Amino acid sequence: MSREELTRLTDNGNGNGTCGKDDCPNVYRKDSGAFVIQGAVSYAFAAPDGEALVEIPEEILREAVRALGW
């Protein structure tokens, strides 16, 4: 799956969001309703095989919630 196939819920790249046009923490939504999270790698604990931990700022989650109208 490519990034273009996902709905970006945060910082649409127009320069008005948290990161402007930079590639930084974001929340995406798949057609299935599942979320894809992009953020800095976290080493808070060892994730199981096939999983990863990422850190994203609280403001990114708030922005995603607003985009969904929740």
Side-chain angles (χ1 to χ4, degrees):
M1 170 173 282
S2 71
R3 187 185 314 203
E4 291 73 29
E5 296 175 77
L6 302 170
T7 300
R8 189 172 179 168
L9 299 176
T10 52
D11 193 353
N12 61 16
N14 63 11
N16 295 328
T18 304
C19 298
K21 295 180 181 180
D22 293 337
D23 199 17
C24 57
N26 281 295
V27 178
Y28 300 87
R29 192 170 192 189
K30 295 174 66 175
D31 288 340
S32 67
F35 296 97
V36 177
I37 309 297
Q38 174 186 347
V41 175
S42 174
Y43 299 99
F45 60 90
D49 287 343
E51 296 184 7
L53 303 176
V54 298
E55 295 180 11
I56 60 170
E58 180 180 327
E59 64 190 73
I60 298 295
L61 289 178
R62 290 181 183 275
E63 189 177 340
V65 167
R66 280 193 300 274
L68 290 167
W70 291 355

